[in-house]
Tab-separated table of all heavy atoms in Angstrom:
chain	number	residue	atom	x	y	z
A	1	MET	N	14.754	-4.471	-2.749
A	1	MET	CA	13.926	-5.691	-2.980
A	1	MET	C	12.684	-5.597	-2.329
A	1	MET	O	12.563	-4.993	-1.274
A	1	MET	CB	14.868	-6.893	-2.542
A	1	MET	CG	14.062	-8.142	-2.829
A	1	MET	SD	14.694	-9.676	-2.254
A	1	MET	CE	16.356	-9.456	-2.066
A	2	VAL	N	11.647	-6.098	-2.968
A	2	VAL	CA	10.304	-6.099	-2.422
A	2	VAL	C	9.949	-7.560	-2.223
A	2	VAL	O	10.167	-8.430	-3.005
A	2	VAL	CB	9.352	-5.493	-3.433
A	2	VAL	CG1	7.895	-5.546	-2.926
A	2	VAL	CG2	9.649	-3.995	-3.793
A	3	LYS	N	9.232	-7.795	-1.085
A	3	LYS	CA	8.794	-9.160	-0.769
A	3	LYS	C	7.279	-8.994	-0.511
A	3	LYS	O	6.789	-8.216	0.310
A	3	LYS	CB	9.413	-9.730	0.509
A	3	LYS	CG	10.673	-10.415	0.232
A	3	LYS	CD	11.115	-11.206	1.446
A	3	LYS	CE	12.363	-11.963	1.178
A	3	LYS	NZ	12.856	-12.771	2.341
A	4	ASP	N	6.585	-9.740	-1.271
A	4	ASP	CA	5.087	-9.795	-1.129
A	4	ASP	C	4.677	-11.300	-0.898
A	4	ASP	O	5.300	-12.136	-1.377
A	4	ASP	CB	4.377	-9.321	-2.396
A	4	ASP	CG	4.473	-7.842	-2.502
A	4	ASP	OD1	4.187	-7.123	-1.558
A	4	ASP	OD2	4.790	-7.362	-3.623
A	5	VAL	N	3.607	-11.414	-0.066
A	5	VAL	CA	3.073	-12.728	0.210
A	5	VAL	C	1.707	-12.800	-0.440
A	5	VAL	O	0.829	-11.950	-0.195
A	5	VAL	CB	3.009	-13.045	1.638
A	5	VAL	CG1	2.376	-14.398	1.906
A	5	VAL	CG2	4.395	-12.926	2.323
A	6	TYR	N	1.516	-13.829	-1.313
A	6	TYR	CA	0.245	-14.022	-2.059
A	6	TYR	C	-0.450	-15.231	-1.502
A	6	TYR	O	0.200	-16.212	-1.116
A	6	TYR	CB	0.541	-14.087	-3.538
A	6	TYR	CG	1.165	-12.973	-4.160
A	6	TYR	CD1	2.523	-12.821	-4.255
A	6	TYR	CD2	0.358	-11.946	-4.807
A	6	TYR	CE1	3.148	-11.701	-4.890
A	6	TYR	CE2	0.940	-10.884	-5.343
A	6	TYR	CZ	2.358	-10.737	-5.353
A	6	TYR	OH	2.878	-9.645	-5.897
A	7	GLU	N	-1.763	-15.142	-1.537
A	7	GLU	CA	-2.568	-16.341	-1.108
A	7	GLU	C	-3.075	-17.002	-2.413
A	7	GLU	O	-3.726	-16.352	-3.196
A	7	GLU	CB	-3.719	-15.812	-0.259
A	7	GLU	CG	-3.243	-15.180	1.047
A	7	GLU	CD	-4.302	-14.411	1.712
A	7	GLU	OE1	-5.527	-14.620	1.422
A	7	GLU	OE2	-3.989	-13.590	2.566
A	8	VAL	N	-2.805	-18.256	-2.480
A	8	VAL	CA	-3.176	-19.024	-3.640
A	8	VAL	C	-4.077	-20.146	-3.220
A	8	VAL	O	-3.759	-20.998	-2.340
A	8	VAL	CB	-2.019	-19.603	-4.477
A	8	VAL	CG1	-2.378	-20.440	-5.640
A	8	VAL	CG2	-1.040	-18.493	-4.943
A	9	LYS	N	-5.209	-20.303	-3.915
A	9	LYS	CA	-6.235	-21.347	-3.631
A	9	LYS	C	-6.054	-22.553	-4.564
A	9	LYS	O	-5.877	-22.467	-5.753
A	9	LYS	CB	-7.607	-20.718	-3.707
A	9	LYS	CG	-8.733	-21.612	-3.405
A	9	LYS	CD	-10.083	-20.902	-3.531
A	9	LYS	CE	-11.248	-21.814	-3.331
A	9	LYS	NZ	-12.544	-21.076	-3.545
A	10	GLY	N	-6.096	-23.774	-4.071
A	10	GLY	CA	-6.222	-24.980	-4.843
A	10	GLY	C	-5.005	-25.823	-4.921
A	10	GLY	O	-5.019	-26.878	-5.464
A	11	MET	N	-3.924	-25.333	-4.308
A	11	MET	CA	-2.660	-26.068	-4.314
A	11	MET	C	-2.748	-27.251	-3.332
A	11	MET	O	-3.087	-27.002	-2.148
A	11	MET	CB	-1.456	-25.252	-3.985
A	11	MET	CG	-1.114	-24.229	-4.941
A	11	MET	SD	0.439	-23.254	-4.619
A	11	MET	CE	0.046	-22.609	-2.964
A	12	THR	N	-2.411	-28.510	-3.723
A	12	THR	CA	-2.592	-29.661	-2.840
A	12	THR	C	-1.365	-30.585	-2.792
A	12	THR	O	-1.323	-31.489	-2.028
A	12	THR	CB	-3.768	-30.478	-3.249
A	12	THR	OG1	-3.622	-30.961	-4.545
A	12	THR	CG2	-5.067	-29.671	-3.082
A	13	CYS	N	-0.460	-30.382	-3.756
A	13	CYS	CA	0.733	-31.314	-3.759
A	13	CYS	C	1.980	-30.673	-4.338
A	13	CYS	O	1.983	-29.491	-4.760
A	13	CYS	CB	0.396	-32.500	-4.681
A	13	CYS	SG	0.179	-31.979	-6.459
A	14	GLY	N	3.102	-31.422	-4.432
A	14	GLY	CA	4.335	-31.002	-4.869
A	14	GLY	C	4.270	-30.468	-6.394
A	14	GLY	O	4.924	-29.557	-6.679
A	15	HIS	N	3.442	-31.159	-7.100
A	15	HIS	CA	3.257	-30.706	-8.537
A	15	HIS	C	2.682	-29.389	-8.582
A	15	HIS	O	3.046	-28.435	-9.375
A	15	HIS	CB	2.434	-31.726	-9.311
A	15	HIS	CG	2.113	-31.119	-10.678
A	15	HIS	ND1	2.959	-30.636	-11.592
A	15	HIS	CD2	0.882	-31.147	-11.388
A	15	HIS	CE1	2.351	-30.339	-12.752
A	15	HIS	NE2	1.065	-30.604	-12.570
A	16	CYS	N	1.783	-29.062	-7.728
A	16	CYS	CA	1.141	-27.696	-7.605
A	16	CYS	C	2.224	-26.646	-7.303
A	16	CYS	O	2.211	-25.581	-7.914
A	16	CYS	CB	0.149	-27.647	-6.580
A	16	CYS	SG	-1.277	-28.896	-6.672
A	17	VAL	N	3.028	-27.013	-6.391
A	17	VAL	CA	4.087	-26.082	-5.932
A	17	VAL	C	5.017	-25.732	-7.131
A	17	VAL	O	5.387	-24.604	-7.387
A	17	VAL	CB	4.953	-26.620	-4.757
A	17	VAL	CG1	6.165	-25.817	-4.433
A	17	VAL	CG2	3.978	-26.684	-3.497
A	18	ALA	N	5.474	-26.859	-7.756
A	18	ALA	CA	6.377	-26.677	-8.962
A	18	ALA	C	5.732	-25.814	-10.057
A	18	ALA	O	6.418	-24.999	-10.624
A	18	ALA	CB	6.725	-28.065	-9.480
A	19	ALA	N	4.464	-26.018	-10.350
A	19	ALA	CA	3.752	-25.317	-11.403
A	19	ALA	C	3.616	-23.786	-11.070
A	19	ALA	O	3.952	-23.014	-11.879
A	19	ALA	CB	2.391	-25.970	-11.664
A	20	VAL	N	3.265	-23.474	-9.834
A	20	VAL	CA	3.087	-22.076	-9.457
A	20	VAL	C	4.529	-21.390	-9.408
A	20	VAL	O	4.674	-20.327	-9.934
A	20	VAL	CB	2.319	-22.050	-8.094
A	20	VAL	CG1	2.497	-20.594	-7.554
A	20	VAL	CG2	0.951	-22.397	-8.181
A	21	THR	N	5.496	-22.123	-8.922
A	21	THR	CA	6.849	-21.597	-8.730
A	21	THR	C	7.356	-21.254	-10.186
A	21	THR	O	7.827	-20.148	-10.388
A	21	THR	CB	7.813	-22.549	-8.078
A	21	THR	OG1	7.286	-22.805	-6.790
A	21	THR	CG2	9.225	-22.060	-8.003
A	22	ALA	N	7.235	-22.172	-11.125
A	22	ALA	CA	7.757	-21.985	-12.466
A	22	ALA	C	7.043	-20.784	-13.114
A	22	ALA	O	7.731	-19.979	-13.819
A	22	ALA	CB	7.555	-23.331	-13.254
A	23	GLU	N	5.774	-20.648	-13.054
A	23	GLU	CA	5.092	-19.530	-13.720
A	23	GLU	C	5.377	-18.224	-13.140
A	23	GLU	O	5.701	-17.246	-13.862
A	23	GLU	CB	3.566	-19.731	-13.591
A	23	GLU	CG	3.022	-20.903	-14.529
A	23	GLU	CD	3.300	-20.713	-16.001
A	23	GLU	OE1	3.335	-19.543	-16.436
A	23	GLU	OE2	3.376	-21.662	-16.736
A	24	VAL	N	5.508	-18.178	-11.829
A	24	VAL	CA	5.819	-16.899	-11.128
A	24	VAL	C	7.239	-16.493	-11.372
A	24	VAL	O	7.571	-15.318	-11.578
A	24	VAL	CB	5.408	-16.937	-9.669
A	24	VAL	CG1	5.790	-15.607	-8.971
A	24	VAL	CG2	3.845	-17.131	-9.501
A	25	GLU	N	8.049	-17.447	-11.338
A	25	GLU	CA	9.578	-17.177	-11.607
A	25	GLU	C	9.697	-16.555	-13.028
A	25	GLU	O	10.698	-15.871	-13.252
A	25	GLU	CB	10.409	-18.470	-11.459
A	25	GLU	CG	10.681	-18.775	-10.028
A	25	GLU	CD	11.565	-20.057	-9.839
A	25	GLU	OE1	11.619	-20.889	-10.795
A	25	GLU	OE2	12.151	-20.156	-8.810
A	26	GLY	N	8.844	-16.858	-13.876
A	26	GLY	CA	8.961	-16.349	-15.268
A	26	GLY	C	8.657	-14.893	-15.358
A	26	GLY	O	8.869	-14.270	-16.445
A	27	LEU	N	8.134	-14.203	-14.373
A	27	LEU	CA	7.712	-12.863	-14.432
A	27	LEU	C	9.050	-12.010	-14.332
A	27	LEU	O	9.943	-12.327	-13.611
A	27	LEU	CB	6.799	-12.460	-13.288
A	27	LEU	CG	5.423	-13.131	-13.357
A	27	LEU	CD1	4.601	-12.804	-12.085
A	27	LEU	CD2	4.633	-12.618	-14.532
A	28	ALA	N	9.070	-10.984	-15.094
A	28	ALA	CA	10.187	-10.017	-15.102
A	28	ALA	C	10.419	-9.466	-13.683
A	28	ALA	O	9.444	-8.994	-13.042
A	28	ALA	CB	10.037	-8.865	-16.151
A	29	GLY	N	11.712	-9.532	-13.272
A	29	GLY	CA	12.015	-8.903	-11.974
A	29	GLY	C	11.996	-9.847	-10.773
A	29	GLY	O	12.476	-9.457	-9.695
A	30	VAL	N	11.465	-10.985	-10.951
A	30	VAL	CA	11.333	-11.944	-9.921
A	30	VAL	C	12.699	-12.548	-9.567
A	30	VAL	O	13.433	-12.997	-10.467
A	30	VAL	CB	10.303	-13.026	-10.133
A	30	VAL	CG1	10.371	-14.193	-9.085
A	30	VAL	CG2	8.936	-12.469	-10.254
A	31	GLU	N	13.141	-12.467	-8.286
A	31	GLU	CA	14.363	-13.050	-7.801
A	31	GLU	C	14.246	-14.393	-7.188
A	31	GLU	O	15.049	-15.254	-7.323
A	31	GLU	CB	15.042	-12.063	-6.895
A	31	GLU	CG	15.403	-10.703	-7.511
A	31	GLU	CD	16.135	-9.811	-6.731
A	31	GLU	OE1	16.480	-10.146	-5.504
A	31	GLU	OE2	16.436	-8.673	-7.234
A	32	SER	N	13.110	-14.553	-6.399
A	32	SER	CA	12.923	-15.948	-5.742
A	32	SER	C	11.398	-16.079	-5.505
A	32	SER	O	10.675	-15.221	-5.320
A	32	SER	CB	13.743	-16.044	-4.484
A	32	SER	OG	13.200	-15.213	-3.466
A	33	VAL	N	10.952	-17.352	-5.502
A	33	VAL	CA	9.720	-17.768	-5.034
A	33	VAL	C	9.700	-18.844	-4.093
A	33	VAL	O	10.392	-19.909	-4.297
A	33	VAL	CB	8.934	-18.255	-6.353
A	33	VAL	CG1	7.497	-18.753	-5.971
A	33	VAL	CG2	8.841	-17.106	-7.420
A	34	GLN	N	8.942	-18.681	-2.966
A	34	GLN	CA	8.884	-19.751	-2.050
A	34	GLN	C	7.360	-20.011	-1.745
A	34	GLN	O	6.616	-19.077	-1.524
A	34	GLN	CB	9.533	-19.365	-0.627
A	34	GLN	CG	11.005	-19.128	-0.803
A	34	GLN	CD	11.635	-18.733	0.547
A	34	GLN	OE1	10.953	-17.960	1.344
A	34	GLN	NE2	12.810	-19.134	0.789
A	35	VAL	N	7.039	-21.288	-1.756
A	35	VAL	CA	5.638	-21.748	-1.705
A	35	VAL	C	5.424	-22.570	-0.447
A	35	VAL	O	6.220	-23.503	-0.116
A	35	VAL	CB	5.112	-22.548	-2.875
A	35	VAL	CG1	3.752	-23.061	-2.691
A	35	VAL	CG2	5.287	-21.749	-4.116
A	36	ASP	N	4.541	-22.103	0.483
A	36	ASP	CA	4.114	-22.904	1.629
A	36	ASP	C	2.840	-23.609	1.280
A	36	ASP	O	1.795	-22.993	1.371
A	36	ASP	CB	3.993	-21.998	2.856
A	36	ASP	CG	3.685	-22.716	4.055
A	36	ASP	OD1	3.205	-23.810	4.099
A	36	ASP	OD2	3.930	-22.143	5.227
A	37	LEU	N	2.899	-24.896	0.952
A	37	LEU	CA	1.742	-25.745	0.545
A	37	LEU	C	0.697	-25.706	1.690
A	37	LEU	O	-0.485	-25.556	1.400
A	37	LEU	CB	2.207	-27.078	0.176
A	37	LEU	CG	1.155	-28.026	-0.409
A	37	LEU	CD1	0.599	-27.360	-1.637
A	37	LEU	CD2	1.741	-29.350	-0.647
A	38	ALA	N	1.077	-25.834	2.978
A	38	ALA	CA	0.171	-25.994	4.019
A	38	ALA	C	-0.705	-24.732	4.190
A	38	ALA	O	-1.919	-24.851	4.419
A	38	ALA	CB	0.918	-26.247	5.335
A	39	SER	N	-0.146	-23.542	4.033
A	39	SER	CA	-0.925	-22.321	4.199
A	39	SER	C	-1.452	-21.739	2.884
A	39	SER	O	-2.385	-20.880	2.930
A	39	SER	CB	-0.062	-21.266	4.852
A	39	SER	OG	0.975	-20.852	3.980
A	40	GLY	N	-0.877	-22.192	1.818
A	40	GLY	CA	-1.343	-21.680	0.457
A	40	GLY	C	-0.668	-20.378	0.272
A	40	GLY	O	-1.023	-19.648	-0.721
A	41	GLU	N	0.382	-20.018	0.964
A	41	GLU	CA	1.146	-18.750	0.747
A	41	GLU	C	2.288	-18.821	-0.218
A	41	GLU	O	3.015	-19.814	-0.037
A	41	GLU	CB	1.546	-18.222	2.131
A	41	GLU	CG	0.374	-17.694	2.978
A	41	GLU	CD	0.889	-17.032	4.248
A	41	GLU	OE1	2.084	-17.171	4.618
A	41	GLU	OE2	0.055	-16.279	4.775
A	42	VAL	N	2.436	-17.901	-1.038
A	42	VAL	CA	3.555	-17.850	-2.032
A	42	VAL	C	4.278	-16.500	-1.753
A	42	VAL	O	3.711	-15.438	-1.897
A	42	VAL	CB	3.027	-17.897	-3.459
A	42	VAL	CG1	4.215	-17.778	-4.436
A	42	VAL	CG2	2.273	-19.163	-3.697
A	43	THR	N	5.541	-16.593	-1.295
A	43	THR	CA	6.295	-15.420	-1.029
A	43	THR	C	7.204	-15.218	-2.218
A	43	THR	O	7.868	-16.050	-2.656
A	43	THR	CB	7.220	-15.703	0.243
A	43	THR	OG1	6.410	-16.027	1.330
A	43	THR	CG2	8.083	-14.387	0.508
A	44	VAL	N	7.100	-13.940	-2.733
A	44	VAL	CA	7.834	-13.619	-3.966
A	44	VAL	C	8.693	-12.350	-3.581
A	44	VAL	O	8.263	-11.357	-3.173
A	44	VAL	CB	6.908	-13.171	-5.065
A	44	VAL	CG1	7.626	-12.752	-6.278
A	44	VAL	CG2	5.857	-14.306	-5.408
A	45	ALA	N	10.035	-12.576	-3.822
A	45	ALA	CA	11.014	-11.469	-3.760
A	45	ALA	C	11.330	-10.987	-5.213
A	45	ALA	O	11.626	-11.779	-6.090
A	45	ALA	CB	12.319	-12.015	-3.065
A	46	SER	N	11.235	-9.683	-5.393
A	46	SER	CA	11.394	-9.146	-6.720
A	46	SER	C	12.110	-7.800	-6.627
A	46	SER	O	12.166	-7.154	-5.507
A	46	SER	CB	9.968	-8.948	-7.391
A	46	SER	OG	9.151	-8.126	-6.558
A	47	GLU	N	12.607	-7.354	-7.765
A	47	GLU	CA	13.317	-6.087	-7.862
A	47	GLU	C	12.443	-4.850	-7.613
A	47	GLU	O	12.879	-3.862	-7.045
A	47	GLU	CB	13.963	-5.996	-9.206
A	47	GLU	CG	14.926	-6.945	-9.545
A	47	GLU	CD	15.400	-6.962	-11.117
A	47	GLU	OE1	14.776	-6.176	-11.826
A	47	GLU	OE2	16.308	-7.671	-11.356
A	48	ARG	N	11.122	-4.991	-7.844
A	48	ARG	CA	10.145	-3.861	-7.756
A	48	ARG	C	8.797	-4.556	-7.470
A	48	ARG	O	8.671	-5.737	-7.570
A	48	ARG	CB	10.146	-3.126	-9.039
A	48	ARG	CG	9.716	-3.977	-10.191
A	48	ARG	CD	9.562	-3.208	-11.603
A	48	ARG	NE	9.384	-4.128	-12.671
A	48	ARG	CZ	8.462	-4.902	-12.896
A	48	ARG	NH1	7.443	-5.060	-12.050
A	48	ARG	NH2	8.439	-5.714	-13.989
A	49	GLN	N	7.867	-3.698	-7.068
A	49	GLN	CA	6.474	-4.182	-6.872
A	49	GLN	C	5.993	-4.769	-8.133
A	49	GLN	O	5.936	-4.146	-9.251
A	49	GLN	CB	5.646	-2.972	-6.367
A	49	GLN	CG	4.252	-3.381	-6.049
A	49	GLN	CD	4.201	-4.116	-4.720
A	49	GLN	OE1	4.656	-3.669	-3.779
A	49	GLN	NE2	3.539	-5.248	-4.754
A	50	LEU	N	5.451	-5.958	-8.027
A	50	LEU	CA	4.858	-6.627	-9.202
A	50	LEU	C	3.409	-6.211	-9.344
A	50	LEU	O	2.723	-5.994	-8.320
A	50	LEU	CB	4.954	-8.179	-9.149
A	50	LEU	CG	6.322	-8.742	-9.023
A	50	LEU	CD1	6.197	-10.232	-8.741
A	50	LEU	CD2	7.148	-8.511	-10.333
A	51	ALA	N	2.871	-6.058	-10.528
A	51	ALA	CA	1.424	-5.780	-10.683
A	51	ALA	C	0.681	-7.036	-10.279
A	51	ALA	O	0.975	-8.194	-10.707
A	51	ALA	CB	1.196	-5.492	-12.168
A	52	TYR	N	-0.301	-6.790	-9.490
A	52	TYR	CA	-1.200	-7.857	-9.017
A	52	TYR	C	-1.745	-8.702	-10.158
A	52	TYR	O	-1.740	-9.917	-10.102
A	52	TYR	CB	-2.310	-7.317	-8.139
A	52	TYR	CG	-3.131	-8.397	-7.427
A	52	TYR	CD1	-2.818	-8.903	-6.199
A	52	TYR	CD2	-4.302	-8.885	-8.051
A	52	TYR	CE1	-3.534	-9.924	-5.705
A	52	TYR	CE2	-5.131	-9.831	-7.517
A	52	TYR	CZ	-4.677	-10.381	-6.227
A	52	TYR	OH	-5.486	-11.369	-5.722
A	53	ASP	N	-2.137	-8.123	-11.204
A	53	ASP	CA	-2.790	-8.788	-12.338
A	53	ASP	C	-1.742	-9.647	-12.981
A	53	ASP	O	-2.076	-10.671	-13.532
A	53	ASP	CB	-3.344	-7.776	-13.330
A	53	ASP	CG	-4.617	-7.021	-12.822
A	53	ASP	OD1	-5.155	-7.560	-11.827
A	53	ASP	OD2	-5.023	-6.062	-13.455
A	54	ASP	N	-0.538	-9.298	-13.084
A	54	ASP	CA	0.520	-10.083	-13.662
A	54	ASP	C	0.707	-11.439	-12.828
A	54	ASP	O	0.867	-12.437	-13.412
A	54	ASP	CB	1.836	-9.375	-13.842
A	54	ASP	CG	1.838	-8.271	-14.813
A	54	ASP	OD1	0.809	-8.175	-15.567
A	54	ASP	OD2	2.674	-7.314	-14.826
A	55	VAL	N	0.778	-11.222	-11.507
A	55	VAL	CA	0.959	-12.480	-10.715
A	55	VAL	C	-0.278	-13.258	-10.836
A	55	VAL	O	-0.181	-14.500	-10.907
A	55	VAL	CB	1.179	-12.039	-9.192
A	55	VAL	CG1	1.424	-13.259	-8.342
A	55	VAL	CG2	2.451	-11.112	-9.166
A	56	ALA	N	-1.437	-12.751	-10.793
A	56	ALA	CA	-2.694	-13.536	-10.917
A	56	ALA	C	-2.683	-14.261	-12.290
A	56	ALA	O	-3.154	-15.416	-12.233
A	56	ALA	CB	-3.884	-12.569	-10.875
A	57	ALA	N	-2.221	-13.629	-13.257
A	57	ALA	CA	-2.186	-14.286	-14.542
A	57	ALA	C	-1.275	-15.511	-14.576
A	57	ALA	O	-1.566	-16.582	-15.100
A	57	ALA	CB	-1.806	-13.354	-15.757
A	58	ALA	N	-0.092	-15.358	-13.956
A	58	ALA	CA	0.840	-16.456	-13.871
A	58	ALA	C	0.311	-17.615	-13.117
A	58	ALA	O	0.399	-18.789	-13.375
A	58	ALA	CB	2.183	-15.916	-13.266
A	59	VAL	N	-0.365	-17.312	-11.941
A	59	VAL	CA	-0.961	-18.339	-11.102
A	59	VAL	C	-2.065	-18.968	-11.897
A	59	VAL	O	-2.208	-20.204	-11.835
A	59	VAL	CB	-1.462	-17.722	-9.795
A	59	VAL	CG1	-2.276	-18.660	-8.901
A	59	VAL	CG2	-0.207	-17.214	-8.902
A	60	ASP	N	-2.871	-18.268	-12.552
A	60	ASP	CA	-3.971	-18.797	-13.341
A	60	ASP	C	-3.358	-19.713	-14.474
A	60	ASP	O	-3.902	-20.747	-14.684
A	60	ASP	CB	-4.747	-17.707	-13.960
A	60	ASP	CG	-5.914	-18.156	-14.708
A	60	ASP	OD1	-6.873	-18.766	-14.160
A	60	ASP	OD2	-6.031	-18.059	-16.013
A	61	GLU	N	-2.271	-19.380	-15.050
A	61	GLU	CA	-1.603	-20.162	-16.130
A	61	GLU	C	-1.253	-21.533	-15.530
A	61	GLU	O	-1.265	-22.535	-16.250
A	61	GLU	CB	-0.486	-19.387	-16.692
A	61	GLU	CG	0.174	-20.147	-17.809
A	61	GLU	CD	-0.697	-20.272	-19.114
A	61	GLU	OE1	-1.540	-19.415	-19.298
A	61	GLU	OE2	-0.465	-21.206	-19.880
A	62	ALA	N	-0.836	-21.408	-14.210
A	62	ALA	CA	-0.453	-22.724	-13.564
A	62	ALA	C	-1.600	-23.520	-13.235
A	62	ALA	O	-1.511	-24.786	-12.773
A	62	ALA	CB	0.375	-22.365	-12.341
A	63	GLY	N	-2.837	-22.976	-13.235
A	63	GLY	CA	-4.075	-23.688	-12.913
A	63	GLY	C	-4.648	-23.470	-11.494
A	63	GLY	O	-5.438	-24.236	-11.058
A	64	TYR	N	-4.198	-22.376	-10.976
A	64	TYR	CA	-4.759	-22.046	-9.535
A	64	TYR	C	-5.264	-20.626	-9.497
A	64	TYR	O	-5.221	-19.850	-10.485
A	64	TYR	CB	-3.528	-22.343	-8.568
A	64	TYR	CG	-2.982	-23.698	-8.756
A	64	TYR	CD1	-1.904	-23.863	-9.522
A	64	TYR	CD2	-3.650	-24.712	-8.175
A	64	TYR	CE1	-1.462	-25.181	-9.766
A	64	TYR	CE2	-3.189	-26.051	-8.471
A	64	TYR	CZ	-2.103	-26.224	-9.182
A	64	TYR	OH	-1.702	-27.553	-9.426
A	65	GLU	N	-5.750	-20.276	-8.322
A	65	GLU	CA	-6.438	-18.951	-8.192
A	65	GLU	C	-5.763	-18.140	-7.136
A	65	GLU	O	-5.559	-18.596	-5.988
A	65	GLU	CB	-7.918	-19.183	-7.809
A	65	GLU	CG	-8.706	-17.920	-7.645
A	65	GLU	CD	-10.048	-18.113	-7.027
A	65	GLU	OE1	-10.540	-19.218	-6.924
A	65	GLU	OE2	-10.738	-17.126	-6.744
A	66	LEU	N	-5.375	-16.931	-7.580
A	66	LEU	CA	-4.728	-15.948	-6.647
A	66	LEU	C	-5.954	-15.283	-5.867
A	66	LEU	O	-6.822	-14.824	-6.449
A	66	LEU	CB	-3.918	-14.909	-7.416
A	66	LEU	CG	-3.065	-13.948	-6.571
A	66	LEU	CD1	-2.069	-14.764	-5.750
A	66	LEU	CD2	-2.473	-12.878	-7.476
A	67	THR	N	-5.909	-15.389	-4.523
A	67	THR	CA	-6.939	-14.828	-3.663
A	67	THR	C	-6.625	-13.588	-2.878
A	67	THR	O	-7.501	-12.951	-2.244
A	67	THR	CB	-7.626	-15.859	-2.831
A	67	THR	OG1	-6.639	-16.413	-2.015
A	67	THR	CG2	-8.204	-17.013	-3.686
A	68	GLY	N	-5.348	-13.173	-2.831
A	68	GLY	CA	-4.969	-11.988	-2.108
A	68	GLY	C	-3.513	-11.818	-1.958
A	68	GLY	O	-2.701	-12.680	-2.485
A	69	ARG	N	-3.089	-10.595	-1.494
A	69	ARG	CA	-1.690	-10.277	-1.406
A	69	ARG	C	-1.549	-9.423	-0.110
A	69	ARG	O	-2.337	-8.599	0.142
A	69	ARG	CB	-1.283	-9.457	-2.597
A	69	ARG	CG	0.182	-8.895	-2.435
A	69	ARG	CD	0.674	-8.063	-3.599
A	69	ARG	NE	-0.024	-6.818	-3.753
A	69	ARG	CZ	0.028	-6.020	-4.846
A	69	ARG	NH1	0.776	-6.465	-5.845
A	69	ARG	NH2	-0.658	-5.022	-4.881
A	70	HIS	N	-0.465	-9.641	0.509
A	70	HIS	CA	0.005	-8.655	1.569
A	70	HIS	C	1.509	-8.458	1.604
A	70	HIS	O	2.211	-9.490	1.249
A	70	HIS	CB	-0.586	-9.004	3.018
A	70	HIS	CG	-0.284	-10.371	3.416
A	70	HIS	ND1	-1.084	-11.510	3.020
A	70	HIS	CD2	0.746	-10.940	4.183
A	70	HIS	CE1	-0.480	-12.554	3.611
A	70	HIS	NE2	0.571	-12.288	4.315
A	71	GLU	N	2.014	-7.346	1.977
A	71	GLU	CA	3.415	-7.006	1.991
A	71	GLU	C	3.978	-7.648	3.249
A	71	GLU	O	3.371	-7.663	4.254
A	71	GLU	CB	3.706	-5.552	1.935
A	71	GLU	CG	3.423	-4.997	0.492
A	71	GLU	CD	3.737	-3.423	0.498
A	71	GLU	OE1	4.569	-3.028	1.228
A	71	GLU	OE2	3.112	-2.778	-0.226
A	72	ARG	N	5.195	-8.055	3.124
A	72	ARG	CA	5.926	-8.639	4.256
A	72	ARG	C	7.009	-7.706	4.683
A	72	ARG	O	7.597	-7.013	4.019
A	72	ARG	CB	6.524	-10.009	3.878
A	72	ARG	CG	7.018	-10.676	5.211
A	72	ARG	CD	7.338	-12.125	4.957
A	72	ARG	NE	6.230	-12.913	5.273
A	72	ARG	CZ	6.104	-14.260	5.276
A	72	ARG	NH1	7.185	-14.893	4.731
A	72	ARG	NH2	5.068	-14.869	5.643
């Protein structure tokens, strides 16, 4: 299992968390998504390393901006 932490800009409420979670959970191989609203960090556990562009597209679809990634 791979865990990556992504930085997402623009989330301000529970609806934001739900939207980002739903879009990222829809990516193939994703096992879990945890969003920390205060820090803007989204932790994604997946079967394999996800393509950054795929995660960025999912976050964009939710209406927010992916600004970075680091492995945990």
Side-chain angles (χ1 to χ4, degrees):
M1 181 182 339
V2 176
K3 275 194 179 180
D4 286 312
V5 180
Y6 297 89
E7 298 165 16
V8 177
K9 183 177 174 184
M11 297 185 300
T12 60
C13 65
H15 171 45
C16 303
V17 170
V20 169
T21 299
E23 289 296 334
V24 175
E25 281 181 337
L27 295 173
V30 171
E31 296 182 3
S32 69
V33 177
Q34 295 178 326
V35 178
D36 183 338
L37 186 59
S39 68
E41 291 185 340
V42 178
T43 302
V44 180
S46 56
E47 297 170 355
R48 58 177 170 65
Q49 182 74 52
L50 300 173
Y52 184 87
D53 290 344
D54 291 347
V55 179
V59 170
D60 183 65
E61 185 67 28
Y64 306 96
E65 180 185 356
L66 188 65
T67 59
R69 170 179 73 192
H70 54 275
E71 292 182 23
R72 187 169 266 182

